[in-house]
Amino acid sequence: MSHAVAIKTETENCISSNNINSLKQSPQPAQQLHNSSSSSNSSNSSNCSNSSNNTSTSSNSSSSSGNNNNNSDATFSLLNGTHSHQRSNGLTAAAHAAVSYASSGSGSGAGTGGGAGSGGAGAGAAAGLNATLLGAAPATALPSNGGLQSPYERYRVDDTSYVPIGQFYAGRSVFITGGTGFMGKVLVEKLLRSCPDIRNIYLLIRPKRGQEVSARLTELLNAPLFESLRREKPKELSKVIPISGDITSEELGISESDQSLLCRNVSVVFHSAATVKFDEKLKLSVTINMLGTKRLVELCHRMMSLDALIHVSTAYCNCDRTDVSEVIYAPPYNPDDIISLINWLPEDILDQLTPRLIGKRPNTYTFTKALAEHMLLKEAGNLPVAIVRPSIVTASLNEPFAGWVDNFNGPTGLVSALAKGLFRTMMCEKNYVADMVPVDIVINLMIAAAWRTATRKSNNLLIYNCCTGQRNPIIWSEFVRYAMSSVRKHPLEGCLWYPTGDLRMNRPMNTLNCILKHFLPAHILDAVARIMGKKPFVVNVQNKIAKAVECLEYFATRQWRFKDDNVNGLLHTLSPKDREIFVFDVRNIDWDKYVERYVLGFREFLFKQRPESLPASRKRMVRLYYLHQLIKVVAVLLTWRFLMSRSKRLNDLWSAFLENVLKIARLIPFL
């Protein structure tokens, strides 16, 4: 039984796309498949040209027994990844029409939704696809979960078949994409340190800025993250072998000789390469997150002894629903159609279409990650695959040392701005769960998931939601309180103002505070810098902060429930020793201590400030505190003085109040 067919119950709303009448899939009830194509090509052409009402009628009339048999055959071939899509240039009729308009330069465009427009080529294509999008409803049917996941057997001391994780990796070679990224670095370090008998780790590295991959690898291994390995096990670092390539290129940009090397030797693959920029252009996001995944799967099919492929997704790929189970949901579009669009449409038209394409999702990152999961399901065939979905990945909890972080993404950038005194207000529901997870927790889960996938052969594609919201939640107000306390206790050098801040859900009030507390002081400081002959920078920093806040706001004003039963089940299959080595039990996180280490971590690794500078920074923080209080008092007095000068009635009331206070004071004997 193939791997993909066995999970038919999980994705019974996967799509046979031969007779899709529009770019976006029509909604279907749970456990009901879209109709496959009819035997004649003419009926497909007719369906594509009919109005929406005729399309609906045609769909209803196709529910005969003969068509049901065709549905079954089409579904079987689709889930096996063998179904051929009969499209013109790989496009559905609607997308093909838009491309025709874009290339022909005719002045109009129309889609199956019946919309039309006039103008240039780009406007015609956009109008046609916009009409298509408007005429189609999103696919929201929840996949069936009946019988999907196999039960986890708890670890037993007398289980002689148990293979420890470290022993499993002994003598094996691993291939990692995204190995130079935040998570990839931690993964490489952990495998070398905790699986000492691992054979080789092949890293896909892109030549960058004229720097060869060998030089980039040397730079990577000289990072502080690998300090303990360089000191205690320097020979282990020689196991890391660079593979020159590019996730955006055909065949991943890997030479034939290196492809042959990987196919002969690799038995475990970790795919963590992705663009995590929330505001990335759709074309690049699709190329990296979707096409990159597809090309990797094609390479994996050629590997002679592949035992596990771990794909790193995100828990927020299904952020359009509040309850997210460990299943693959129906995608909003056919992934092949989106790939065709980015290949055929000009980028300016894609930019116009992006808001409509991503729908309820906040950005191209979550959109392409959702499509990549479904594409992986379709393309994997019988490959041993598992998907790990982390939530917001933050600094390390313990490994290789507490608080390690190498980027300003997500909460790190905002807490850093808070610590500098540059950030004071944002839109956030303070009582919602801040579902963030330390990077080493995610990496340990990935390593264990690969072990489980390889040693317990299953027909199910298992998904692991790596989150903290269910087992050990922390709400945003608690996180901000811990962060505020820590940045005051361990202040940064050169802090511009005393760190304070508020979380608000009143947008006008938040906007007013942004103007008064962020941009007004920034312009004043830059003006002073110009007068002193120095380069202004604060306004530029505030603009970057505002952009980061805008990206995070969606996740700070909503709440999700990520089910993590598979993660909990996997945890209980590990021996006590493996649980100590590969820790991913989030219940062990003490959030107060973690946030303090988090602050110390970005202070040392991002701002390059040594612990020896803390005493001087604390003295500066005390001065900033008194200055902050003084400014508040002065501001109150000036405001009151302004109001008194503008209102005679207020002045009279104030004088009467003071007179009464003095009369009462005279009645007290000792005064």
Side-chain angles (χ1 to χ4, degrees):
M1 177 182 282
S2 75
H3 174 74
V5 171
I7 54 174
K8 177 171 176 284
T9 56
E10 177 184 0
T11 56
E12 290 197 341
N13 47 355
C14 294
I15 306 151
S16 173
S17 58
N18 283 30
N19 74 333
I20 298 178
N21 295 317
S22 64
L23 174 62
K24 194 160 189 174
Q25 300 169 356
S26 300
Q28 297 292 332
Q31 303 188 33
Q32 179 179 346
L33 292 162
H34 287 274
N35 292 328
S36 62
S37 62
S38 60
S39 58
S40 65
N41 291 332
S42 61
S43 65
N44 284 336
S45 301
S46 175
N47 283 340
C48 290
S49 62
N50 283 342
S51 66
S52 58
N53 290 337
N54 290 338
T55 301
S56 176
T57 305
S58 174
S59 175
N60 291 335
S61 65
S62 66
S63 59
S64 62
S65 60
N67 283 341
N68 287 340
N69 292 335
N70 290 339
N71 285 345
S72 177
D73 294 339
T75 302
F76 183 89
S77 59
L78 173 65
L79 290 175
N80 275 282
T82 59
H83 195 67
S84 60
H85 302 286
Q86 300 175 358
R87 297 188 186 89
S88 216
N89 294 326
L91 295 168
T92 58
H96 182 64
V99 172
S100 298
Y101 279 108
S103 58
S104 66
S106 63
S108 62
T112 56
S118 62
L129 275 180
N130 284 350
T132 300
L133 295 173
L134 288 171
T140 57
L142 179 68
S144 167
N145 196 29
L148 173 64
Q149 312 292 9
S150 57
Y152 286 89
E153 296 181 1
R154 287 178 173 266
Y155 170 77
R156 302 192 317 273
V157 178
D158 60 346
D159 185 2
T160 57
S161 65
Y162 184 85
V163 178
I165 294 179
Q167 183 180 329
F168 162 76
Y169 283 97
R172 294 180 182 270
S173 291
V174 173
F175 178 48
I176 301 174
T177 69
T180 58
F182 177 45
M183 292 177 59
K185 293 174 186 176
V186 182
L187 175 59
V188 172
E189 196 278 339
K190 178 64 176 180
L191 286 171
L192 292 175
R193 180 165 47 85
S194 298
C195 305
D197 295 323
I198 196 170
R199 184 179 177 185
N200 286 311
I201 297 177
Y202 298 100
L203 287 188
L204 183 68
I205 301 179
R206 175 171 57 92
K208 192 175 182 181
R209 292 189 291 269
Q211 193 178 27
E212 294 297 324
V213 294
S214 56
R216 290 197 65 194
L217 177 62
T218 301
E219 181 182 344
L220 170 69
L221 298 180
N222 285 330
L225 184 68
F226 296 91
E227 183 178 347
S228 62
L229 279 172
R230 289 196 301 269
R231 184 176 61 253
E232 300 169 9
K233 302 178 181 179
K235 292 183 179 180
E236 294 296 312
L237 298 177
S238 63
K239 296 178 179 180
V240 184
I241 301 173
I243 299 293
S244 180
D246 187 345
I247 198 74
T248 64
S249 302
E250 290 291 337
E251 297 185 337
L252 302 179
I254 303 175
S255 66
E256 290 186 8
S257 59
D258 282 344
Q259 288 185 43
S260 178
L261 175 70
L262 295 174
C263 292
R264 289 196 312 269
N265 297 318
V266 169
S267 57
V268 178
V269 175
F270 294 99
H271 178 43
S272 63
T275 173
V276 297
K277 289 179 63 177
F278 285 173
D279 57 348
E280 191 68 84
K281 296 280 189 179
L282 180 63
K283 186 179 182 69
L284 184 57
S285 190
V286 169
T287 301
I288 296 176
N289 295 344
M290 294 176 62
L291 275 174
T293 300
K294 186 174 184 178
R295 291 161 180 162
L296 178 67
V297 171
E298 291 170 354
L299 178 63
C300 289
H301 275 294
R302 296 166 49 201
M303 292 181 178
M304 301 175 183
S305 55
L306 183 68
D307 289 322
L309 165 59
I310 303 301
H311 172 73
V312 181
S313 184
T314 171
Y316 296 100
C317 66
N318 298 299
C319 59
D320 55 334
R321 56 180 72 239
T322 55
D323 290 282
V324 181
S325 299
E326 292 169 309
V327 297
I328 294 178
Y329 292 95
Y333 302 95
N334 189 311
D336 292 331
D337 288 330
I338 298 300
I339 291 174
S340 297
L341 283 182
I342 65 114
N343 288 332
W344 286 87
L345 288 182
E347 192 160 353
D348 58 336
I349 297 179
L350 281 175
D351 293 342
Q352 295 175 30
L353 291 175
T354 296
R356 290 184 178 275
L357 287 172
I358 65 177
K360 294 181 179 180
R361 289 178 171 84
N363 49 56
T364 57
Y365 172 67
T366 56
F367 174 70
T368 53
K369 277 295 191 179
L371 293 174
E373 285 192 1
H374 188 266
M375 188 175 63
L376 179 65
L377 170 67
K378 175 184 169 184
E379 301 287 340
N382 59 355
L383 292 178
V385 182
I387 297 175
V388 174
R389 291 177 181 159
S391 53
I392 303 173
V393 182
T394 52
S396 61
L397 177 66
N398 293 310
E399 299 179 280
F401 30 75
W404 184 81
V405 64
D406 74 342
N407 63 80
F408 287 98
N409 295 338
T412 306
L414 300 185
V415 177
S416 301
L418 174 71
K420 275 286 189 180
L422 295 170
F423 179 59
R424 297 175 177 280
T425 181
M426 73 171 288
M427 288 287 293
C428 178
E429 177 49 71
K430 61 182 180 180
N431 293 319
Y432 279 178
V433 171
D435 206 314
M436 54 189 70
V437 58
V439 62
D440 49 335
I441 294 284
V442 183
I443 296 307
N444 287 330
L445 174 62
M446 289 167 56
I447 295 172
W451 163 82
R452 169 76 185 188
T453 302
T455 58
R456 294 287 192 273
K457 299 297 183 182
S458 171
N459 291 325
N460 294 336
L461 188 156
L462 293 180
I463 299 163
Y464 301 91
N465 287 342
C466 186
C467 310
T468 57
Q470 295 295 308
R471 311 274 172 185
N472 188 7
I474 177 174
I475 60 176
W476 284 108
S477 60
E478 291 176 331
F479 175 73
V480 170
R481 186 173 73 251
Y482 295 152
M484 200 84 70
S485 173
S486 296
V487 298
R488 292 168 180 170
K489 183 178 179 181
H490 309 290
L492 295 175
E493 298 175 28
C495 183
L496 295 176
W497 202 254
Y498 186 72
T500 61
D502 293 295
L503 303 177
R504 310 175 193 276
M505 283 301 289
N506 185 317
R507 187 169 296 278
M509 184 61 68
N510 185 69
T511 302
L512 178 62
N513 275 271
C514 282
I515 294 171
L516 296 177
K517 297 181 179 180
H518 292 173
F519 290 100
L520 182 60
H523 282 283
I524 292 174
L525 289 173
D526 277 359
V528 172
R530 289 189 183 94
I531 293 172
M532 297 176 65
K534 296 181 179 180
K535 184 178 180 181
F537 68 94
V538 185
V539 171
N540 187 39
V541 171
Q542 282 295 354
N543 289 331
K544 292 181 179 179
I545 293 173
K547 191 174 182 180
V549 170
E550 184 181 356
C551 291
L552 189 63
E553 182 181 301
Y554 178 90
F555 304 95
T557 55
R558 290 165 178 80
Q559 185 167 253
W560 293 266
R561 289 179 292 275
F562 300 112
K563 307 295 178 59
D564 60 351
D565 296 334
N566 285 345
V567 176
N568 191 50
L570 176 60
L571 176 66
H572 288 94
T573 65
L574 301 185
S575 67
K577 185 176 180 181
D578 276 346
R579 287 193 208 181
E580 292 178 5
I581 299 174
F582 302 94
V583 179
F584 57 90
D585 187 353
V586 298
R587 292 172 296 185
N588 295 328
I589 301 174
D590 183 326
W591 287 111
D592 191 3
K593 293 180 180 178
Y594 170 73
V595 173
E596 183 175 5
R597 294 169 181 169
Y598 190 174
V599 169
L600 287 170
F602 70 65
R603 187 183 192 277
E604 178 176 356
F605 301 114
L606 294 181
F607 290 94
K608 311 300 181 183
Q609 298 177 8
R610 304 301 300 173
E612 293 78 14
S613 66
L614 276 172
S617 296
R618 286 170 180 150
K619 290 180 181 178
R620 178 183 176 85
M621 182 60 65
V622 171
R623 292 195 296 270
L624 288 175
Y625 169 77
Y626 286 114
L627 179 60
H628 176 67
Q629 300 302 329
L630 177 62
I631 292 295
K632 288 199 295 184
V633 171
V634 171
V636 170
L637 292 177
L638 289 176
T639 302
W640 182 250
R641 178 63 181 169
F642 174 79
L643 294 174
M644 292 280 289
S645 65
R646 294 286 176 173
S647 173
K648 185 176 183 305
R649 179 173 176 77
L650 187 61
N651 202 351
D652 293 340
L653 289 173
W654 177 246
S655 299
F657 172 75
L658 290 179
E659 185 178 348
N660 290 328
V661 169
L662 290 175
K663 288 180 179 179
I664 295 173
R666 292 192 191 99
L667 296 176
I668 301 176
F670 60 84
L671 293 178

